Amino acid sequence: MATEMEEQLVSTLTAQAGPMPAQEVVRLAHQRFGRKIALSSSFGAEDMVLIDMLMKVDSKARIVTLDTGRLPQETYNVMDATREKYGAAVEVYFPQAEAIQLMVAERGLNLFYHSVENRKLCCGVRKMEPLRRALAGLDAWMTGLRREQSVTRTDVHKIEWDSSNQLVKVNPLADWTSGDVWKYIREHNVPYNALHDRGYPSIGCGPCTRAVQPGEHERAGRWWWEHPETKECGLHVVASTAPSTGGGE
Ligand code: SF4
């Protein structure tokens, strides 16, 4: 539950951000929270747009990422390209080794293919726990979520209260289309993950992501063996709420 003061803050920011273009939402969030907001990036196309926007506001703004230990090499490549182009100090959070060892000893390295329960356990150990450490001490976090991405994201707003993490959540690209993302990347010469050119619109861990076929939904390649409504890793599930005054992503 948000306090009255937090609800008021979210309502105020929602009213301000509503008519703003994404770049201005990024600026607004940075002005309001400074180093108490971090962009959570997996270095997908949307995140690269936000990195470009954020670095133009403050080259020392905080960017956090989770290295699950199962990422494709192409993701590490674009991570390094980001450091080189922007001089960004990317903060990388790793899972706890003992938790990984225990999980693998009990259920195997490829446990995620065997059940939704196993997959959520793996995402919990490799993503959720490190994310909690990454967000500790912050007042807000920023993500590249877009409403258009999947059936699990149709309620995303530009400004939300994230009750799971007890933080304001800022999603400047909430109302962007995939076409908007790629137009920005090309116009601003933003580096991007090479897998996007090989049929991967959405990129996560290597064993849990495949290329999509023409006509398939853009997140069809994530956990492709599961039903569409289970396909979130837990980082962005239902815990977020928007204020009654309305808003964007
Ligand atoms: S996406 Fe796959 S490999 Fe990565 S944390 Fe989740 S289940 Fe594990």
Side-chain angles (χ1 to χ4, degrees):
M1 284 285 289
T3 64
E4 206 172 305
M5 198 184 297
E6 288 160 344
E7 280 183 5
Q8 183 59 44
L9 172 62
V10 171
S11 292
T12 302
L13 289 173
T14 296
Q16 291 173 320
M20 285 180 174
Q23 175 76 68
E24 293 308 310
V25 176
V26 170
R27 187 180 301 278
L28 171 73
H30 185 267
Q31 276 171 350
R32 175 60 185 78
F33 297 108
R35 301 286 153 73
K36 286 288 198 174
I37 187 169
L39 168 61
S40 173
S41 172
S42 59
F43 297 90
E46 290 80 7
D47 296 333
M48 295 312 302
V49 168
L50 289 179
I51 287 170
D52 189 78
M53 291 177 173
L54 190 57
M55 291 295 99
K56 286 171 176 161
V57 173
D58 176 6
S59 63
K60 301 242 180 325
R62 294 187 61 191
I63 301 170
V64 299
T65 193
L66 311 177
D67 183 348
T68 63
R70 303 298 298 256
L71 299 179
Q73 178 59 34
E74 290 81 355
T75 300
Y76 297 112
N77 293 347
V78 74
M79 209 183 289
D80 271 0
T82 301
R83 291 179 199 271
E84 282 162 27
K85 178 174 170 92
Y86 301 102
V90 179
E91 301 169 35
V92 185
Y93 287 81
F94 297 88
Q96 291 181 331
E98 285 176 8
I100 297 280
Q101 284 166 208
L102 185 63
M103 178 179 74
V104 169
E106 285 182 352
R107 306 196 189 207
L109 274 161
N110 291 324
L111 70 161
F112 29 78
Y113 294 137
H114 301 142
S115 68
V116 173
E117 180 203 342
N118 273 6
R119 199 270 295 162
K120 289 187 171 173
L121 174 68
C122 186
C123 285
V125 170
R126 292 186 186 273
K127 293 183 175 177
M128 296 298 294
E129 188 282 326
L131 180 71
R132 275 194 288 278
R133 278 184 278 125
L135 299 182
L138 294 175
D139 291 337
W141 63 312
M142 189 183 299
T143 84
L145 293 182
R146 292 185 295 108
R147 276 195 287 275
E148 192 196 64
Q149 283 169 322
S150 74
V151 293
T152 57
R153 297 186 174 181
T154 54
D155 277 343
V156 171
H157 295 259
K158 286 182 185 171
I159 307 289
E160 301 177 343
W161 175 251
D162 174 354
S163 55
S164 276
N165 294 300
Q166 294 289 298
L167 296 172
V168 175
K169 189 171 181 182
V170 181
N171 309 304
L173 307 184
D175 52 10
W176 278 35
T177 64
S178 173
D180 294 330
V181 171
W182 285 101
K183 183 167 181 282
Y184 185 97
I185 284 175
R186 305 223 186 278
E187 285 181 356
H188 296 264
N189 197 26
V190 176
Y192 62 89
N193 193 315
L195 288 175
H196 288 308
D197 288 336
R198 293 184 225 148
Y200 291 74
S202 175
I203 303 163
C205 291
C208 298
T209 310
R210 66 159 170 74
V212 303
Q213 301 302 314
E216 277 190 309
H217 193 275
E218 61 183 277
R219 279 177 67 85
R222 302 293 297 277
W223 307 293
W224 65 92
W225 61 91
E226 290 186 9
H227 188 278
E229 290 180 1
T230 69
K231 295 195 335 175
E232 287 288 351
C233 56
L235 302 184
H236 302 295
V237 280
V238 290
S240 295
T241 54
S244 55
T245 47
E249 173 181 89

